[in-house]
Amino acid sequence: MESTPPKLEMFYEGKAKKLYATADPDLVICYFKDDATAFNAKKRGTIEDKGVVNNRMSELFFGLLTRTGLKTHFVRRLNDREMLCKRLQIIPVETVVRNIVAGSMAKRLGLEEGRELSFPVVEYYYKSDPLDDPLIYPEHAILFGWATAAELETIRSLALKVNEVLRRFLDERGIILVDFKLEFGRHHGEILLGDEICPDTCRFWDKASRKKLDKDRFRRDLGDVEEAYQEMLRRVED
Ligand code: UDP
């Protein structure tokens, strides 16, 4: 058993996670909270044991992606709520991949939720709370220095690869991967997948019943929120 590195100062607190430094400048400890927010923190609440589910599910998904040759920030899970990660210089662009129309895409384009896309679409959003994470063209990221053209090419191809791997894995477990958000960062000049992959950042629908098993249960007050997170973890752990 490898020893747990001591947590040093907390250098970042986000809506769902806290990041702590370690004695190694290349490594950070990520702590997963139960706090839930939606609509850019206009709606707030708690989802009991969400932090435990998101930590464990991210471990499983990052492990799966690593085995397919994808590079991520994940090093290892330390305990129920913490994982050890490589320190990233986060690129302030959120990458969303969609297989089925839902959420902001349905709203923005006046489409009904649930329509299948004939190919996955990759969208980019500028990571900015004061601006409500606006949808951008990739050219904006290049123009304003958030990422280079080469980095965006890498991000797009990694995002589509993540989609392929997760979609197949979840399909075998009776889950439709509707859409998801990824964040990437730089680590010694290399682009790594960062953040988390969990029901907060993905839309998961049960294939048979189309029941939502993700944060939309919290966003839309659908009930059974904790149960949905636990159910998703069971499906992924099987
Ligand atoms: N998403 C996220 N963080 C955000 C915005 C979106 O993790 O700040 C995820 C969301 O859970 C969904 C996907 O990205 O799986 C697409 O979200 P959408 O653009 O539809 O926005 P929403 O309507 O969820 O705010």
Side-chain angles (χ1 to χ4, degrees):
M1 201 37 199
E2 282 176 272
S3 64
T4 299
K7 277 206 299 255
L8 302 181
E9 84 281 358
M10 183 178 85
F11 65 92
Y12 172 84
E13 176 159 15
K15 292 172 208 140
K17 297 190 291 295
K18 294 183 207 178
L19 294 180
Y20 295 86
T22 68
D24 184 338
D26 275 343
L27 295 174
V28 301
I29 292 175
C30 175
Y31 176 95
F32 288 77
K33 305 193 278 186
D34 283 350
D35 299 355
T37 60
F39 315 117
N40 196 16
K42 288 186 244 335
K43 179 181 170 88
R44 288 173 182 276
T46 338
I47 302 172
E48 204 186 325
D49 284 343
K50 171 171 88 77
V52 179
V53 171
N54 290 359
N55 189 28
R56 172 78 178 128
M57 199 180 291
S58 294
E59 173 192 23
L60 291 163
F61 283 143
F62 282 132
L64 173 70
L65 294 169
T66 302
R67 289 194 294 281
T68 68
L70 254 133
K71 292 190 174 162
T72 83
H73 71 152
F74 176 75
V75 178
R76 65 177 192 275
R77 188 167 63 86
L78 298 172
N79 54 49
D80 265 6
R81 287 183 182 271
E82 290 174 330
M83 59 168 61
L84 187 65
C85 296
K86 292 183 183 159
R87 189 191 274 259
L88 297 183
Q89 185 199 3
I90 285 286
I91 291 172
V93 173
E94 299 192 346
T95 304
V96 167
V97 182
R98 300 179 187 273
N99 298 303
I100 291 186
V101 173
S104 73
M105 182 190 228
K107 204 166 162 204
R108 183 179 310 110
L109 304 179
L111 300 169
E112 212 179 312
E113 263 200 354
R115 176 160 153 187
E116 194 149 341
L117 301 174
S118 54
F119 57 87
V121 62
V122 183
E123 297 175 346
Y124 305 94
Y125 294 82
Y126 176 42
K127 216 169 131 67
S128 162
D129 284 339
L131 298 177
D132 269 352
D133 297 350
L135 177 70
I136 57 165
Y137 286 104
E139 284 87 344
H140 293 150
I142 301 165
L143 282 169
F144 307 122
W146 304 325
T148 66
E151 285 173 335
L152 285 165
E153 281 285 314
T154 305
I155 287 172
R156 181 183 159 81
S157 102
L158 288 173
L160 288 170
K161 184 86 197 292
V162 170
N163 186 45
E164 265 177 47
V165 174
L166 295 189
R167 213 176 166 184
R168 177 167 323 133
F169 175 86
L170 289 163
D171 181 69
E172 286 163 4
R173 286 154 182 83
I175 299 292
I176 302 171
L177 179 60
V178 174
D179 57 31
F180 58 94
K181 182 260 303 184
L182 301 175
E183 294 190 27
F184 294 88
R186 305 177 187 100
H187 182 83
H188 294 297
E190 211 177 14
I191 296 285
L192 303 184
L193 175 61
D195 199 41
E196 57 187 316
I197 308 177
C198 62
D200 279 8
T201 61
C202 305
R203 285 195 170 90
F204 301 123
W205 293 355
D206 178 75
K207 217 181 346 182
S209 65
R210 296 223 142 194
K211 181 174 175 180
K212 297 183 196 317
L213 295 171
D214 56 58
K215 199 166 133 187
D216 272 348
R217 302 208 74 80
F218 168 80
R219 291 188 189 101
R220 302 177 189 186
D221 296 317
L222 300 175
D224 290 345
V225 185
E226 277 84 4
E227 291 76 3
Y229 276 68
Q230 297 294 338
E231 170 66 18
M232 262 318 295
L233 182 56
R234 271 196 296 279
R235 300 274 192 107
V236 172
E237 275 183 328
D238 267 354

